[in-house]
Amino acid sequence: LAQVRSFARICWPHIQDLVVMMQARTTGGMNESFSGMTPTGLKGKLASLEDFISMQNEELAAQRQEIESLRNDKSNIEQHYQAQLMELKKTMVADVQRMQDEVKRHFSHQKAENSRLQQQITTLKGEKTSLQQQILGLQRRIQEIEEQIGCD
């Protein structure tokens, strides 16, 4: 009993300060009613202390529950964004693959077109050479005919 009295004498002013601070944090109306109920006897002070501890435990439990809720929310948000990130990555990989395939297709088409045009150029060069030879041959023939006509 002496230890309880000593504990109560030492802790009671601090506990009262904590009670006042907690009441100010929670509800204003409850503060006035509680301050009027300050017990005077040891049993009353112990009961008040037990009530305070109980209130603190309830507050602690509520805060723990809130922390757990926030952790769950955080986890859900992380999962949501991770899923979005994976979907975005999958879409981007597919888009890049599609673009690469399209570039390869255009490249091979352009290569075939270049080859076809190069073949036409080679053919036209050959035809040009042949036509130039024919023109030279016809010019010689015209010159021979002119010389024959001019002599007769």
Side-chain angles (χ1 to χ4, degrees):
L1 187 61
Q3 289 177 341
V4 171
R5 284 184 184 166
S6 173
F7 175 76
R9 223 178 301 117
I10 294 170
C11 295
W12 186 248
H14 300 292
I15 293 172
Q16 284 179 326
D17 291 342
L18 287 173
V19 167
V20 170
M21 287 183 348
M22 288 302 296
Q23 288 173 342
R25 259 186 45 202
T26 55
T27 59
M30 197 171 145
N31 192 15
E32 291 91 23
S33 65
F34 188 75
S35 62
M37 296 179 1
T38 308
T40 56
L42 183 58
K43 286 184 181 180
K45 288 182 181 181
L46 284 176
S48 176
L49 184 57
E50 287 174 353
D51 288 345
F52 174 73
I53 290 171
S54 174
M55 204 167 57
Q56 291 300 310
N57 284 336
E58 289 173 8
E59 179 72 21
L60 183 61
Q63 292 297 322
R64 285 183 176 160
Q65 191 174 15
E66 180 68 20
I67 289 170
E68 187 62 30
S69 173
L70 291 172
R71 283 182 180 155
N72 289 337
D73 290 348
K74 176 185 170 257
S75 176
N76 290 339
I77 289 170
E78 285 176 346
Q79 288 175 356
H80 172 73
Y81 283 121
Q82 188 66 29
Q84 280 187 335
L85 181 64
M86 293 304 291
E87 183 64 31
L88 184 61
K89 184 178 177 181
K90 187 197 262 185
T91 302
M92 289 181 74
V93 166
D95 286 346
V96 168
Q97 184 64 42
R98 182 184 49 77
M99 285 187 232
Q100 284 178 338
D101 292 344
E102 191 174 324
V103 166
K104 284 178 185 178
R105 189 176 66 248
H106 284 300
F107 183 75
S108 95
H109 175 70
Q110 187 64 47
K111 193 173 179 181
E113 183 69 12
N114 289 352
S115 177
R116 184 183 68 78
L117 291 174
Q118 188 62 45
Q119 189 176 13
Q120 284 183 351
I121 290 171
T122 304
T123 302
L124 290 172
K125 282 182 180 179
E127 289 176 3
K128 176 187 167 195
T129 304
S130 174
L131 288 173
Q132 284 176 335
Q133 288 174 353
Q134 288 177 5
I135 289 172
L136 285 175
L138 289 174
Q139 284 175 343
R140 276 189 238 132
R141 173 99 187 207
I142 290 172
Q143 192 176 12
E144 288 174 4
I145 292 176
E146 286 177 348
E147 286 177 6
Q148 285 179 359
I149 295 177
C151 292
D152 290 339

